[in-house]
Amino acid sequence: MTVHPTDLADPQLPHWLFQAALSAVNGETAVRNALAANGGSSRGPEYAPGYTHVIALGKAAASMMQGALTVLGDGLARALVVTRQGYLDAGLCADERIECIESEHPLPGERSLEAGTRLLAFIDEAPLDAHLLFLISGGTSSLLEVPVTGIDAARLAELNRWLLGAGLDITAMNRVRSALSVIKGGRLAGRLAGRNARALLVSDVPGDDPSVIGSGLLVVGEPRGEWPAVPDELAWVDELAQMPLRPEAATPVSVEIVASLGKAMDAVVAAARLRGLPVFRHDAFLDGEAAATGERLARELIRSEPGVHVWGGETHVHLPDDPGRGGRNQHLALAAARVLAGHDHVRLLAAGTDGSDGNSEDAGALVDGDTVARGGAEGLDAADCLARADSGRFLAAAGDLIHTGPTGTNVMDLVIGIVRDRAGD
Ligand SMILES: O=C(O)C(=O)CO
């Protein structure tokens, strides 16, 4: 394969590859395709006028709902859409059949409790012979909750603040969330009263396990991993988790993953090949500490052959008490930038496919061998910003942030490395 240094040097290339990935896992397209494939020539009963009740939850809810609406048309009876603040679509919510709720993320609160209560009522209001179509994406864990007795909004926020800052992986976090919820851990399936139900999922968890996505509302999973050590001030977590929950007969739900990190990575590979560029797909899931991962990938890229490299996953950051602006992708990118300093042939993009990274409004960052110098010229110190979890401030000063707004999907994070031929420097 011929290497085109001019293409690998194209300033737009990393953005273009990231956009190709986002399009391939877009919630609207994924739902539309899944329903159209199912309808085909022998359209199922969900298309009968006024028969289907849609429940769209998570960061990609509005976009997934749009996909369902396009295919169902007047097959849609009613819908409930629960998504993150700022992620709704005004046109969608103008449809009087569609009830829209903006809820809280990444920390659940009062509105998450209201949304959880509304979800149960919405299901109860659907006729017993209705078809329930669930469209679930990540973010659901925070956006909706019906907790066990003894947990109010303040405790819920306290619990999740600890879970998000403790460096736990999503499986461990959701194990705790599920133990304290009457809808998570598959328990929502016990509230469907035998209604015919189908779920389409956009996966934001490693291994695409439906019992982990959105804390597995409809699918009971095997408890996996260690129960984490709970800090003393949260002793009520262990106490309440031991209380037995009333078992309810679960209604079987057909579950299908319609978009995933793997598909997003495939799309980067295909887009690079389309340009005739060499591409290296790294399948090992990125799940380590963000800064250490960024440094490791930067070292690998410096030594690598020219071409496009793609990784996917979800790293984590141990947050200090008073974190600054940023998220795991920006943290990873800034740590990588320190290693890349002076190496002009490498660029690295790290971004969340949902368009938001940590507590910032940015998706991530695109760094290069000059990032540290650019931020330094603005009076900032990269090591200091990393120590204070303030990578966003540094990257904003360096002009390296990537902003997409809500993307209509959520399949974890992508890291795209571009290595140019050194002769072209
Ligand atoms: O983001 C969430 O809601 C999860 O728990 C994983 O999908």
Side-chain angles (χ1 to χ4, degrees):
M1 196 180 292
T2 347
V3 181
H4 302 290
T6 45
D7 274 358
L8 286 169
D10 183 338
Q12 287 310 313
L13 180 64
H15 299 285
W16 184 76
L17 294 169
F18 184 53
Q19 284 304 328
L22 294 183
S23 307
V25 290
N26 179 265
E28 178 177 349
T29 319
V31 167
R32 212 174 47 218
N33 290 344
L35 291 177
N38 178 247
S41 51
S42 57
R43 288 160 78 84
E46 57 265 51
Y47 302 93
Y51 180 63
T52 296
H53 293 237
V54 178
I55 295 158
L57 313 172
K59 290 189 205 165
S63 139
M64 293 178 83
M65 182 67 226
Q66 188 59 57
L69 189 59
T70 308
V71 180
L72 294 175
D74 65 5
L76 177 75
R78 293 175 68 202
L80 174 69
V81 179
V82 182
T83 193
R84 190 178 176 172
Q85 183 86 38
Y87 281 46
L88 277 178
D89 175 317
L92 198 66
C93 304
D95 185 320
E96 57 190 19
R97 295 169 297 175
I98 304 177
E99 176 181 344
C100 292
I101 299 181
E102 284 190 315
S103 185
E104 294 171 68
H105 189 283
L107 281 183
E110 205 65 65
R111 272 180 294 144
S112 314
L113 298 178
E114 284 163 22
T117 306
R118 188 62 203 113
L119 168 68
L120 294 183
F122 183 89
I123 292 171
D124 289 344
E125 287 158 18
L128 284 174
D129 64 352
H131 173 66
L132 298 180
L133 175 63
F134 287 89
L135 307 174
I136 299 180
S137 53
T140 295
S141 294
S142 169
L143 295 168
L144 292 105
E145 188 54 289
V146 184
V148 296
T149 312
I151 299 184
D152 57 8
R155 274 193 164 180
L156 194 60
E158 193 188 355
L159 167 73
N160 281 277
R161 204 173 291 118
W162 163 62
L163 286 176
L164 292 174
L168 301 174
D169 68 27
I170 187 69
T171 309
M173 273 193 245
N174 284 356
R175 191 170 165 189
V176 177
R177 287 166 168 158
S178 299
L180 298 172
S181 170
V182 302
I183 55 173
K184 293 176 176 161
R187 291 193 195 91
L188 188 64
R191 311 295 290 242
L192 306 184
R195 290 177 183 83
N196 171 292
R198 177 178 187 198
L200 303 180
L201 273 50
V202 169
S203 169
D204 70 329
V205 306
D208 304 329
D209 180 347
S211 74
V212 182
I213 299 167
S215 300
L217 296 174
L218 299 163
V219 183
V220 185
E222 287 296 310
R224 278 183 288 129
E226 297 275 301
W227 180 264
V230 176
D232 289 347
E233 61 278 21
L234 292 177
W236 54 267
V237 169
D238 282 330
E239 277 160 40
L240 294 179
Q242 274 153 29
M243 310 269 284
L245 280 162
R246 188 162 56 92
E248 296 184 72
T251 297
V253 180
S254 107
V255 176
E256 190 184 331
I257 308 272
V258 294
S260 63
L261 179 64
K263 276 195 185 174
M265 291 173 70
D266 289 345
V268 173
V269 170
R273 289 215 175 111
L274 198 67
R275 288 204 154 190
L277 300 172
V279 54
F280 305 89
R281 180 187 164 124
H282 302 267
D283 280 319
F285 186 81
L286 297 180
D287 60 0
E289 199 277 318
T293 304
E295 289 167 10
R296 177 172 63 80
L297 299 190
R299 281 194 294 269
E300 247 180 87
L301 288 171
I302 289 169
R303 289 193 309 262
S304 163
E305 295 289 305
V308 170
H309 292 250
V310 59
W311 292 266
E314 190 168 84
T315 61
H316 57 260
V317 179
H318 284 275
L319 294 177
D321 282 343
D322 190 15
R325 163 182 175 182
R328 55 181 184 257
N329 288 287
Q330 293 162 66
H331 203 84
L332 184 156
L334 183 55
R338 294 184 68 217
V339 175
L340 294 180
H343 294 274
D344 291 341
H345 67 297
V346 180
R347 286 175 293 163
L348 178 144
L349 176 154
T353 54
D354 61 352
S356 83
D357 186 34
N359 65 10
S360 77
E361 295 294 316
D362 302 292
L366 171 62
V367 297
D368 58 34
D370 218 22
T371 294
V372 169
R374 282 194 301 274
E378 300 296 319
L380 294 175
D381 180 67
D384 178 56
C385 285
L386 282 172
R388 289 186 293 103
D390 201 14
S391 51
R393 194 155 72 98
F394 191 96
L395 293 162
D400 287 358
L401 289 174
I402 296 175
H403 189 82
T404 58
T407 55
T409 191
N410 180 18
V411 296
M412 299 182 280
D413 305 331
L414 283 174
V415 178
I416 299 173
I418 311 281
V419 181
R420 272 192 293 140
D421 196 337
R422 260 179 262 216
D425 280 358

